[in-house]
Each structure stands twice: as C-alpha cells, then as structure tokens.
C-alpha cells in the first residue's frame, strides 16, 4: 500500500511539474465557472445544480474531454520511452502500478473539483444554500471522474501512442455520456440497457441531491472493471 | 540482503522465448557465480535483451526457468526482483524528474528502509559522482550522467545481482572509460552481468563471457580461453582487382575457404577504396599462406598485404556469431 502511495505521489507531482495540471485546472475552472454563473447573470438566480447536472454544455462534459487528456500519458508515455521496463523490473506488482497511476490522476481531478468549491462558497455568501445537495453533487462528480479516469487509464495501458489513448478514451466516454440522450432513437429493447449504462444518467440522479446506492455501485463497478482491464493490459507486457 | 552464500546468483535452464513464430531465445542455460562479472555478448538482435528481461522477471519465458539466488523468478517475481538491480538499455528514466527526486523514488520502490534511505542515496551520489547534478532534471543530463543515474538507481538497494544492458552504448570514449571504471569497481564486491556487443569492453572488465547468437548459447568461457579457442594463427590479407570495381566479397570468401588449412574466412577492413580485407583463421597447426597466395593469384587479383596475426577475442566472437549478423563487427582490437 505504501508503494501505491509513492507511485501516486510521483504521478501527481509529474502533472504539476509539467503544464498539464495547470492547463487542466485553468480550463476546468474557467469554463465550469462560466457555465454556472452565466445563469446567475442572465436569469438573476444562482442554481448550483448547473455545476453537477450533466448536459450538452456542462462541467461533466468538460470532464469527458479533460479526463482522457489527464490519463493518456500514464502508461503509453512510459511504454514509448522504455521506462515501463524499468518500472516492471522493480519489486512492485502490476496492481500497485495501476492503482498508483489511477490515484495520481484522481488526485489531479480532485484538486480541480476542490477548487470549484469557490462557487458554492460564493453562493452561500449571496444567500442560503443546500449543502447536502452540494455534497451529493460533488460525490457524483468525483465518482463520475473516477470512472472516466479508469477508462482512460485502460486505454493508455493498451497502447504506446498517447494520441490513440486519448481518442479511444474520449470515444468510449463520449458514447457512454451521450447515449443517455440518444436512447429515444434506440430500439425499444435496447433503451433500458442504454439508460443503465449511460454515464450521465447516474450523475443526473446524484446532481438532484439523491444518493442512491445503485448509482454509486454503477460508478464503482465501472471503475473497478476498467482498472482490472488496465492491470490485464499491463500484465500482457510480460507475456 | 540475506541470501544463501553458496550456489549461483543467477541460473537459467533451457530458457526459451518465442514471439509469434520466431524463436528469440532458444534453450539458453548458464550460471553466474557470486562476485563474478559476466560479459553477455552477442550481435544486435541475438536475444541478449530478451534473455536479460526474462532474468529480471519483466518478461515471462515460453519455456525453461530462471533462478535468482535459488528462487524461481516466475514463482516469486517480487522476491527475485528485490535481489536484482536492473539498468535497461539506453537508461530509460523519468525525464521530468530531478535526479535527487528520482533516487528517492527508486529507494522507496526498491524497499530501502526509510531510516537508511538518506544514507543509501548519499552513498550512491558519491559513488556515481552525481553531486553536481542532483538538482537537475534528468532530461537535461548528458548521456554519461544519465547512465550514472541509471547505475545509482540499480544499486541503491544493494542488490545481489546487477544487470546492465549495454551500459556504454551511445557514450563518447571518455564517458565509456568512466562507466567502465565504475563497473570494474563495482565488480570487486558485486555480481554483475554486463551485456554488450563491444568486445574491448568485456576483455577489459569481465571474468567470464557468455556469447549468444541467433538466440542460442554458443560459448561460455574466460576471455583468454575464448580468444585462443579452437583456432590456429590468423592471416590477414588485403586484395584489390587489377582494375575497376572491387572483387565480389562472397566469391572471394568462397575461394579462400576452399584453401586447405583454412578454418574460417571473415571480412575485415580493406585499405581504402577498391580493396577488400579478410581475416582468415587457420586450422590448428596449419599455415595456409602459400595456398591463400595461390588462390588470390588464380582469381586474377592483386595481393596488397598478407601477414600473420595472433587470434583475438574478436576472431572467436565473429566466427561464432557470423551468419547470425553479417553487418556486425568491423572494429579491430
């Protein structure tokens, strides 16, 4: 477990030693702030649910784009530079590598989400705020990010090309995100499956302030599945 | 690290690796004894790196087994990795990290106890001469420094066995000398496997040499014994055509090989344009010079040079590995 922490710290540090962390943070903060506060200025009402609700123009969609950008380098870069071989020769298991890299990326996403706490804090200063709903929303975004990052990690673990890793992860995430709104076009028997599999539907529930175990389980299962795939991809390296 | 004092540090038995249809490593068995510096030789593409990867546990063998200090690598991968310090070819390190941070990371992941980490790092810094570059990003380092950082991370946990894959490739002569000195110093107290295709390097540093070609082990002996091995004197000759383009290499080799008393014919440097050089290994006790002279004349060529030289490690290496890779070689010791 200590080695997982060491690896996670190294990944998080790598983000902040390069422009990646700053670009991700600035883009996420500016755009999500704009999305939230545009309603404040246009309609004169502050609706923080904007921050959490998935939509065609929402912070969640930003995460669908930014998460693959965060994760694309995790394994692909090391495979290309050859340092993966050195890493594999160290007394660390593939699981420790996968978890370390995942937690490093999740660390960056957590920082991005934590910085947006400035928005609810601003709103409390303007008027009363349902902190319970905000917490459920943040839990939703965190679980949502975890699933996206795990998918991105799996894609990065399967290739040595960062662009491929990015596009594959973005493609999968975007399909899982948008299928929620497209289920009306699907055959009737497929619609419930699409509804369940959609990344956005479960976030929608949490954004309403409802913490349903089914939604939490969905994200945790998806994350665990993608991490398992990453571990298998890394183990294939030894084959 | 505590290990049984007896028995080989590394032992491979019938080690085989198949990639799809090709056999990269084919039934390689050898041992490395404690305190030895083993030169691991072979042309590029012979399977050196693949064998080392299997030894370090980063690659699973298709057949055969590797034991590190008596432990089966595939059964106890983490335990055997603890006992090995590995520096892959070209020292692939984390370019974005500073040297000191990287050494800290290596120490933590290689399980140097937290209390001893500072001492272990400073020992490596003085040993590998890294004091001046501690605060630099690894990407800014010269190749020589990069290899030294690679050596430092490989030794930081005081491993039983140090495996270095082409540690001097891409370095300039001064850097090569530095790294070689460092490795020789290490070899006084450590067991080292040094993979290379540069022959003077092994002659200068190694106690024993294993040569592989085409995935197969072709020799396992001391440098001196290998140099003297199985061949009589060597005749060096240089020829050129009467006029026009240089004679065909393969045709000339065939003609010379047919001379009685010739064991092997290896291409060597010529003397400027239009000429062809050859090193001819004679069979034990034979002197093929008159026959060679006659063969050259019969081919209608001009003989520029014909003299005896003593056999070198390179002759043995090339005889054993030629056919595996014709383009390899060219250097003369």
């Amino acid at each position: 477990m200590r080695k997982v922490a060491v690896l996670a710290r190294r990944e998080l540090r790598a983000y902040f030693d390069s422009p990646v962390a700053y670009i991700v943070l600035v883009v996420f903060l500016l755009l999500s702030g704009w999305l939230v506060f545009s309603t404040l200025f246009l309609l004169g009402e502050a609706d923080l649910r904007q921050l959490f609700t998935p939509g065609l123009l929402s912070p969640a969609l930003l995460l669908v784009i930014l998460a693959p950008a965060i994760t694309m380098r995790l394994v692909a870069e090391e495979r290309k530079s050859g340092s993966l071989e050195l890493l594999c020769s160290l007394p660390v298991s593939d699981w420790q590598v996968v978890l370390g890299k995942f937690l490093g990326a999740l660390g960056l996403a957590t920082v991005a989400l934590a910085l947006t706490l400035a928005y609810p804090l601003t709103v409390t200063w303007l008027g009363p705020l349902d902190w319970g709903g905000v917490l459920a929303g943040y839990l939703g975004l965190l679980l949502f990010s975890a699933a996206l990052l795990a998918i991105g990690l799996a894609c990065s673990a399967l290739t040595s090309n960062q662009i491929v890793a990015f596009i594959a992860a973005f493609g999968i995430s975007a399909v899982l995100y948008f299928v929620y709104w497209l289920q009306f076009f699907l055959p009737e028997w497929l619609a419930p499956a699409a509804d369940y599999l959609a990344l956005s539907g479960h976030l929608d529930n949490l954004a309403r302030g409802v913490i349903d175990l089914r939604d939490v389980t969905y994200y945790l299962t998806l994350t665990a599945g993608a991490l398992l795939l990453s571990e298998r991809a890394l183990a294939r390296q030894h084959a | 690290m505590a290990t049984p004092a007896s028995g080989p540090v590394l032992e491979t038995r019938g080690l085989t690796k198949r990639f799809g249809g090709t056999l990269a490593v084919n039934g390689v068995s050898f041992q490395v004894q404690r305190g030895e510096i083993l030169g691991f030789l072979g042309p590029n593409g012979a399977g050196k790196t693949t064998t080392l990867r299997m030894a370090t546990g980063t690659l699973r063998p298709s057949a055969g087994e590797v034991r590190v200090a008596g432990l089966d690598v595939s059964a106890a991968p983490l335990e055997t990795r603890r006992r090995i310090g590995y520096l892959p070819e070209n020292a692939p390190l984390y370019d974005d990290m500073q040297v000191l941070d990287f050494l800290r990371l290596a120490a933590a992941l290689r399980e140097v106890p937290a209390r001893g980490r500072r001492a272990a790092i400073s020992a490596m810094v003085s040993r590998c001469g890294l004091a001046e570059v501690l605060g630099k990003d690894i990407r800014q380092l010269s190749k020589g420094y990069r290899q030294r950082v690679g050596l430092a991370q490989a030794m930081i946990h005081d491993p039983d066995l140090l495996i270095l894959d082409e540690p001097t490739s891409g370095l300039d002569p001064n850097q090569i000398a530095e790294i070689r000195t460092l490795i020789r110093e290490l070899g006084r107290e450590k067991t080292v496997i040094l993979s290379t295709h540069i022959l003077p390097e092994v002659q200068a540093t190694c106690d024993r040499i294993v040569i592989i070609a085409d995935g197969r082990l072709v020799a396992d002996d001391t440098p001196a014994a290998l140099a003297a091995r199985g061949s009589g004197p060597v005749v060096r000759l240089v020829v050129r055509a009467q006029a026009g383009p240089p004679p065909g290499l393969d045709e000339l080799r065939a003609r010379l090989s047919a001379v009685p008393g010739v064991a092997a014919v290896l291409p060597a440097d010529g003397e400027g344009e239009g000429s062809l050089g050859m090193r001819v290994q004679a069979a034990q006790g034979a002197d093929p010079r008159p026959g060679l002279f006659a063969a050259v004349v019969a081919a209608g060529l001009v003989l520029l040079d014909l003299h005896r030289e003593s056999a070198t490690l390179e002759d043995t290496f090339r005889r054993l590995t030629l056919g595996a890779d014709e383009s390899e070689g060219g250097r003369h010791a």
Side-chain angles (χ1 to χ4, degrees), chain B residues 238-242 296 300-304:
Chain B
V238 179
V239 300
R240 69 169 166 78
Q242 304 273 8
V296 170
L301 300 169
V302 178
L303 186 62
L304 296 177

Side-chain angles (χ1 to χ4, degrees), chain A:
Chain A
M1 208 52 220
R2 208 176 315 139
K3 285 185 201 158
V4 172
V6 169
L7 287 166
R9 219 174 305 134
R10 127 95 195 139
E11 292 300 337
L12 191 57
R13 181 93 198 260
Y15 286 123
F16 283 94
D17 281 346
S18 73
V20 175
Y22 305 99
I23 291 173
V24 165
L25 292 178
V26 167
V27 167
F28 186 70
L29 283 182
L30 281 182
L31 290 180
S32 62
W34 175 68
L35 290 171
V36 169
F37 286 99
S38 56
T39 53
L40 177 72
F41 297 121
L42 292 175
L43 306 174
E45 58 182 61
D47 185 1
L48 263 185
R49 241 198 261 162
Q50 292 284 346
L51 189 58
F52 311 119
T53 309
L56 300 178
L57 208 61
S58 69
L61 182 58
L62 280 176
L63 288 172
V64 170
I65 299 164
L66 290 177
I70 293 175
T71 54
M72 65 181 193
R73 55 166 279 276
L74 285 174
V75 182
E77 186 184 46
E78 289 216 39
R79 181 170 286 139
K80 187 147 219 163
S81 77
S83 59
L84 191 60
E85 200 195 332
L86 184 59
L87 186 60
C88 287
S89 78
L90 298 174
V92 291
S93 68
D94 294 337
W95 266 117
Q96 286 170 326
V97 171
V98 165
L99 288 178
K101 287 181 176 292
F102 170 70
L103 292 177
L106 190 62
L108 177 57
T110 308
V111 171
L113 292 178
L115 288 175
T116 64
L117 278 169
Y119 308 148
L121 288 172
T122 314
V123 172
T124 35
W125 177 63
L126 295 171
L129 177 73
D130 168 22
W131 274 103
V134 169
L135 279 181
Y138 271 111
L139 176 69
L141 278 186
L142 194 63
L143 289 168
F144 178 78
S145 311
L148 291 174
L149 294 170
I151 290 171
L153 175 56
C155 292
S156 182
L158 283 164
T159 174
S160 59
N161 185 323
Q162 295 193 47
I163 309 284
V164 169
F166 175 84
I167 292 175
F170 174 69
I172 294 168
S173 310
V175 165
L176 287 176
Y177 185 78
F178 287 116
V179 75
Y180 184 57
W181 293 281
L182 298 176
Q183 45 184 295
F184 311 104
F185 302 106
L186 293 173
E188 215 165 297
W189 55 273
L190 205 58
D195 187 46
Y196 181 74
L197 286 178
L199 273 166
S200 16
H202 301 275
L203 182 59
D204 216 3
N205 294 342
L206 286 156
R208 282 198 212 103
V210 186
I211 300 181
D212 188 327
L213 206 57
R214 274 174 302 179
D215 299 319
V216 175
T217 314
Y218 163 84
Y219 284 121
L220 292 181
T221 310
L222 188 57
T223 306
L227 290 180
L228 183 68
L229 184 64
S230 315
E231 193 268 345
R232 294 284 83 209
L234 214 56
R236 212 186 48 164
Q237 182 85 6
H238 309 299

Side-chain angles (χ1 to χ4, degrees), chain B residues 77-97:
Chain B
L78 293 189
E79 187 48 42
T80 54
R81 284 183 214 169
R82 274 181 199 117
R83 295 165 188 267
I84 292 179
Y86 178 39
L87 175 58
E89 192 174 355
N90 300 325
L93 313 172
Y94 289 134
D95 285 348
D96 54 322
M97 291 186 90

